[in-house]
């Protein structure tokens, strides 16, 4: 055709009446790699209308059948892992192996969700009235979990497939329909993933995927009266959405400034390995990346030396070559990262490596002796640049962690489990990892951010529950 990928509405692949498209720039070549449709508000209206109609029937479809379709979609997705991963490589410069892992992890997530769904949605509660003062046993109360309606899923560029299915699968098993708005970078991978659901044979209109410019359809989608729930992962846009959205449940996972606190008694080799993995995998473009290292002065030299030795070994280059460090997603992102680096330089941070950038490719950089007046002490680079702050007490580390407006995850390295637990309790974050880098998975673990890092809790079980509402029927005995 015209080389513009179609959007998915009412079970069909369509070209937008706008006649316009949105280019997807390959971060590595910095030229247009794909184009997607720039959908109109009218097309969004149609999608939401068919999503509402399809949901009514879907809610009456037996739970085991919903699960069966999800299992089928999971299998088809895994069969198509190669072409989908290829899109991730071209659209978001994810290293080739990680791109495949993302797709496989997504298939597993869908299957787990189907299994979890049939169990937790397959049971309700039975209550009797005479446990509350003044009541006889004259009322029986039956509870069940009912769907919300149309769920709007907005995943971010860094996991266009996995963070889409982490919203789609819970919504569907719970009896909702889905409108997916993928990120521009990653939209084609998302369309391929949606095609797997199409092949699995879900009813028309139950799942749709709308592409386009945020300025044209963003607010229109999030403020649309036909939407019953929004599940969003991303950055500041989430704060804006929360302010504008109507009286509907929101699931938000936004930024993070995950701290890695390293105590004097830590296994420094283990800590160094996790600092590198946590700080530099996918070039630091993970909400759960280690974004600040808070290390006790007495072990700081040793840690920095070990981290530097590992940083030196990181391969830098093209995602096709499966390099560890690949170009960051956009030029503006690279410019932002560079701004943080230059600010730190001006204010006297120690550069453990030379700062180097070619296009969107930024070489991994550890900044030692970072001070609280530097922007990088607080801001999220979303790139392969990691600040180290040397601390003289555990309290200092906890204080820095808690002074952040973010509160996603954090980690602590120590051999003393009692200290670890006390620090975990003191850290104002949704999760604390003891002796490992922050991470969302395994995908059935609860995943949540405090403060500006989010609303609600994710993870398979929590997402299913969040996308349902309790319905009760009370039998009044004569
Ligand atoms: O970027 C945010 C993701 O939820 C992080 O997931 O910990 O599996 O990389 P991850």
């Amino acid at each position: 055709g015209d080389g513009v990928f179609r959007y998915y509405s009412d079970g069909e692949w369509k070209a937008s009446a706008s006649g316009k498209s949105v280019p997807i720039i390959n971060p590595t070549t910095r030229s247009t790699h794909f184009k997607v449709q720039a959908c109109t508000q009218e097309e969004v209206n149609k999608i939401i209308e068919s999503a509402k109609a399809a949901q009514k029937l879907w809610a009456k479809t037996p739970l085991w059948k919903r699960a069966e379709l999800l299992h089928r979609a999971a299998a088809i997705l895994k069969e198509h892992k190669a072409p989908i991963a290829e899109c991730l490589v071209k659209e978001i410069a994810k290293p080739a192996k990680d791109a495949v892992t993302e797709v496989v992890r997504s298939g597993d997530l869908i299957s787990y969700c189907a299994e979890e769904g049939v169990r937790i949605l397959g049971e309700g509660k039975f209550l009797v009235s005479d446990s509350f003062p003044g009541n006889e046993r004259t009322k029986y109360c039956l509870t069940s979990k009912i769907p919300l309606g149309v769920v709007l899923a907005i995943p971010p560029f860094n996991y266009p497939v996995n963070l889409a299915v982490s919203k789609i699968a819970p919504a569907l098993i719970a009896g909702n329909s889905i409108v997916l708005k993928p990120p521009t970078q990653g939209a084609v991978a998302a369309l391929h993933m949606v095609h797997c659901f199409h092949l699995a044979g879900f009813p028309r209109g139950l799942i749709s995927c709308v592409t386009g410019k945020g300025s044209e359809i963003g607010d229109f989608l999030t403020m649309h009266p036909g939407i019953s729930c929004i599940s969003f992962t991303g950055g500041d846009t989430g704060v804006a959405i929360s302010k504008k959205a109507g009286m509907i449940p929101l699931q938000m996972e936004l930024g993070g400034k995950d701290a890695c606190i390293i105590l004097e008694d830590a296994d420094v080799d283990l800590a160094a390995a996790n600092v590198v993995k946590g700080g530099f995998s996918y070039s630091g473009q993970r909400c759960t990346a280690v974004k600040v290292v808070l290390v006790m002065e007495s072990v700081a030299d040793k840690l920095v030396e070990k981290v530097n030795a590992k940083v030196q070994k990181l391969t830098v280059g093209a995602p096709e070559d499966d390099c560890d460090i690949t170009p960051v997603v956009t030029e503006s992102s690279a410019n932002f990262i560079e701004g943080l680096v230059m600010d730190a330089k001006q204010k006297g941070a120690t550069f453990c490596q030379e700062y180097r950038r070619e296009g969107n490719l930024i070489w991994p950089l550890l900044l030692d002796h970072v001070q609280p007046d530097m922007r990088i002490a607080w801001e999220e680079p979303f790139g392969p640049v990691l600040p180290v702050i040397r601390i003289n007490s555990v309290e200092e580390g906890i204080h820095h962690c808690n002074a952040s407006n973010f509160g996603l995850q954090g980690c602590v390295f120590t051999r003393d489990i009692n200290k670890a637990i006390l620090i975990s309790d003191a850290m104002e974050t949704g999760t604390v990892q003891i002796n490992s880098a922050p991470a969302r998975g395994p995908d059935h673990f609860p995943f949540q951010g405090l403060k500006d890092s989010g609303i609600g809790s994710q993870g398979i079980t929590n997402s299913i529950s969040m996308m349902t509402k309790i319905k009760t029927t009370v039998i009044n005995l004569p």
Side-chain angles (χ1 to χ4, degrees), residues 94 105 156 158-159 162-163 233-234 253-254 258 281-282 285-289 291 380 382 408-409 438-443 447 458:
K94 183 164 279 198
R105 172 183 181 183
N158 62 350
Y159 286 96
N162 185 261
L163 283 171
T233 306
E253 195 247 294
L254 312 181
D258 293 9
S281 59
Y282 189 37
Q285 298 175 109
R286 295 164 55 235
C287 54
T288 49
K291 297 206 176 92
E380 201 185 5
F382 237 67
L408 190 58
Q409 293 206 359
R440 169 168 48 111
D443 291 340
F447 181 54
Q458 300 179 71

Side-chain angles (χ1 to χ4, degrees), residues 85-403:
E86 180 67 13
C87 292
L88 294 172
V89 168
K90 302 298 180 194
E91 293 184 273
I92 62 164
K94 183 164 279 198
K97 274 192 196 136
D98 293 351
V100 174
T101 304
E102 175 173 346
V103 183
V104 174
R105 172 183 181 183
S106 301
D108 292 338
L109 192 159
I110 297 169
S111 292
Y112 192 105
C113 202
E115 289 166 16
E116 183 75 347
V118 292
R119 280 167 186 69
I120 66 173
L121 300 166
E123 55 183 46
K125 270 189 184 174
F126 171 63
L127 294 85
V128 290
S129 50
D130 61 334
S131 58
F132 198 86
N135 283 272
E136 298 298 321
R137 186 171 293 220
T138 54
K139 291 170 189 288
Y140 290 166
C141 179
L142 304 169
T143 75
S144 60
K145 295 193 182 87
I146 58 166
L148 299 174
V150 182
V151 173
L152 173 61
I154 310 181
F157 82 84
N158 62 350
Y159 286 96
V161 174
N162 185 261
L163 283 171
V165 304
S166 74
K167 305 171 191 316
I168 295 171
L172 292 179
I173 193 67
N176 300 286
S177 59
I178 268 284
V179 174
L180 173 67
K181 164 65 180 76
T184 297
Q185 315 261 153
V188 176
L191 288 167
H192 276 69
M193 175 271 295
V194 168
H195 189 58
C196 297
F197 282 84
H198 174 83
L199 293 174
F202 282 89
R204 290 171 80 97
L206 188 71
I207 304 162
S208 45
C209 185
V210 56
T211 56
K213 296 199 179 82
S215 56
E216 178 72 23
I217 55 168
D219 281 354
F220 191 74
L221 268 168
T222 55
M223 295 166 76
H224 200 289
I227 298 294
S228 316
C229 168
I230 302 174
S231 179
F232 174 94
T233 306
D236 292 344
T237 315
V239 178
I241 292 174
S242 313
K243 286 181 181 148
K244 289 183 205 159
M247 204 177 74
I248 54 172
L250 301 177
Q251 188 180 44
M252 294 271 159
E253 195 247 294
L254 312 181
K257 186 73 183 168
D258 293 9
C260 175
I261 301 182
I262 300 167
L263 304 193
E264 287 171 311
D265 70 344
D267 177 338
V268 180
D269 286 303
L270 180 70
N274 277 279
V275 163
V276 173
K277 182 169 136 251
F280 296 102
S281 59
Y282 189 37
S283 305
Q285 298 175 109
R286 295 164 55 235
C287 54
T288 49
V290 169
K291 297 206 176 92
V292 59
V293 177
L294 302 162
V295 59
M296 288 295 281
E297 180 68 64
S298 58
V299 288
D301 285 343
K302 206 162 109 190
L303 177 90
V304 167
E305 191 192 311
K306 286 179 191 287
V307 170
N308 280 335
K310 289 180 193 295
V311 166
Q312 176 120 36
K313 291 198 187 121
L314 294 173
T315 54
V316 182
E320 288 84 354
D321 300 334
D322 206 38
C323 287
D324 299 314
I325 304 294
T326 55
V328 297
V329 68
T330 57
E331 189 175 339
S332 66
S333 176
N335 291 342
F336 176 77
I337 297 161
E338 185 164 298
L340 293 181
V341 171
M342 291 310 145
D343 173 78
K345 183 173 193 166
Q346 203 196 332
K347 291 173 184 159
T350 304
F351 279 52
C352 297
Q353 296 79 22
E354 204 184 323
Y355 174 67
R356 188 170 165 204
R357 170 181 172 188
E358 277 169 26
N360 294 358
L361 184 61
I362 293 176
W363 269 251
L365 177 62
L366 191 73
L367 298 172
D368 198 359
H369 300 285
V370 164
Q371 301 294 329
D373 67 327
M374 299 175 190
R375 286 175 57 202
I376 201 158
W378 305 103
E379 294 180 45
E380 201 185 5
F382 237 67
V385 176
L386 183 58
V388 176
I389 297 179
R390 293 169 176 238
I391 53 173
N392 290 302
S393 68
V394 173
E395 289 69 30
E396 210 183 314
I398 292 169
H399 176 79
H400 187 92
C401 168
N402 292 351

Side-chain angles (χ1 to χ4, degrees), residues 55-62 66:
Q55 191 270 327
K56 298 265 182 291
L57 293 173
W58 181 244
K60 296 199 172 79
T61 303
R66 291 185 224 155

